Amino acid sequence: MKMDAIELAQLAQAHAEPRYDIYAGIHKAARALFADALLALGRMDADADAERADALARLDALLDFCGQHLAHENAFIHPAMEARAAGTSEALAHEHDDHRLAIEALRGLARRLDKTPAGQRAGLAHVLYLRLSAFVAHNLEHMLVEETAHNAVLWAHYSDAEIAGLEGPFTAALSPEESAFALRWMLGALSHPQRLALLAELRFHAPAPVFDGALDLAREVLDDTQWARLSRGLGLAPAPGLVA
């Protein structure tokens, strides 16, 4: 995908004058999930039951996540854009309709693959892999537009506090399991400064059990070096008995 001059200017502006980016963390999680599911399908032996079950479970988790993310953007971000800059969300809103159809098509292919007799799965597995590849490619371009053009609209018409407030209703509607799933992938995909800022915010605003649960997730997904650095940043001991 070739970026035009407007997109490049928007990226440069965002870098020079940092604003609240409602897409940054969740899109990093999405990109990690896309890569995980695509790799799993690509290396899957469709006739090995355990491999097939694992790959299809990863695909199913990705598609659930994509559906939730679409719902968030459609219910909260796009209406906010339209309220102060009419017409600015229309193009990608139509793409969301296409994404919903693609999600259902991928689910259908996955079900067909799982029901296909052993020895006859390789061709359909490759079709599923290619269809997911196309879905991932389109979503990567779609997210780039959101992080440039859509952010530019939000930043021009809303304060950072107002933009952050768009996340609250959606987050509140998620189940504990859905929240933990998204947070786990975000923690593994964020840079250290982003991860530290996220957990510092949780520590300040969320109940202690929520913060402790987030720390447990971070420990699961980070290597020892990343975990030690995060612990020091939060003023915590990286392991019991050690000094922060």
Side-chain angles (χ1 to χ4, degrees):
M1 178 182 180
K2 184 177 180 180
M3 296 184 67
D4 61 27
I6 294 176
E7 289 172 325
L8 289 171
Q10 289 165 344
L11 283 175
Q13 179 185 5
H15 180 74
E17 302 174 14
R19 293 287 309 277
Y20 187 85
D21 188 344
I22 196 169
Y23 296 108
I26 200 66
H27 277 188
K28 281 196 171 185
R31 290 181 176 102
L33 274 160
F34 284 133
D36 178 74
L38 192 59
L39 284 170
L41 283 182
R43 63 188 172 217
M44 173 187 68
D45 177 353
D47 285 332
D49 291 345
E51 283 189 29
R52 188 177 70 258
D54 177 72
L56 294 184
R58 291 172 188 269
L59 173 62
D60 193 54
L62 166 66
L63 298 179
D64 283 346
F65 175 89
C66 289
Q68 293 162 9
H69 186 55
L70 286 175
H72 174 212
E73 292 181 347
N74 288 345
F76 302 107
I77 299 179
H78 290 182
M81 293 172 64
E82 293 299 318
R84 299 187 186 179
T88 52
S89 74
E90 287 181 1
L92 290 201
H94 291 307
E95 290 188 6
H96 280 182
D97 294 336
D98 294 337
H99 290 174
R100 279 194 293 268
L101 294 175
I103 287 169
E104 291 310 308
L106 287 166
R107 289 194 193 279
L109 278 173
R111 287 192 295 267
R112 281 180 56 198
L113 174 63
D114 212 29
K115 294 177 180 178
T116 298
Q120 302 176 32
R121 298 183 182 125
L124 187 56
H126 188 59
V127 170
L128 178 59
Y129 174 68
L130 293 180
R131 291 285 293 273
L132 179 60
S133 297
F135 181 70
V136 170
H138 191 269
N139 271 273
L140 292 176
E141 293 191 349
H142 178 93
M143 290 190 294
L144 176 60
V145 176
E146 290 175 333
E147 290 173 42
T148 53
H150 280 206
N151 261 339
V153 173
L154 292 170
W155 293 337
H157 297 281
Y158 288 89
S159 68
D160 284 353
E162 288 175 316
I163 297 171
L166 298 175
E167 292 179 319
F170 175 74
T171 302
L174 293 176
S175 70
E177 294 78 16
E178 290 168 339
S179 294
F181 180 85
L183 181 59
R184 187 179 191 278
W185 281 93
M186 284 178 64
L187 289 168
L190 294 175
S191 67
H192 170 72
Q194 291 173 321
R195 190 183 300 125
L196 183 60
L198 173 62
L199 286 170
E201 185 78 5
L202 277 177
R203 188 186 217 175
F204 184 77
H205 291 290
V210 174
F211 175 68
D212 291 342
L215 283 181
D216 290 341
L217 290 173
R219 188 65 190 99
E220 289 178 17
V221 301
L222 301 180
D223 63 30
D224 290 343
T225 300
Q226 292 170 326
W227 171 249
R229 190 179 181 197
L230 177 64
S231 298
R232 288 194 299 270
L234 292 169
L236 303 172
L242 297 181
V243 178

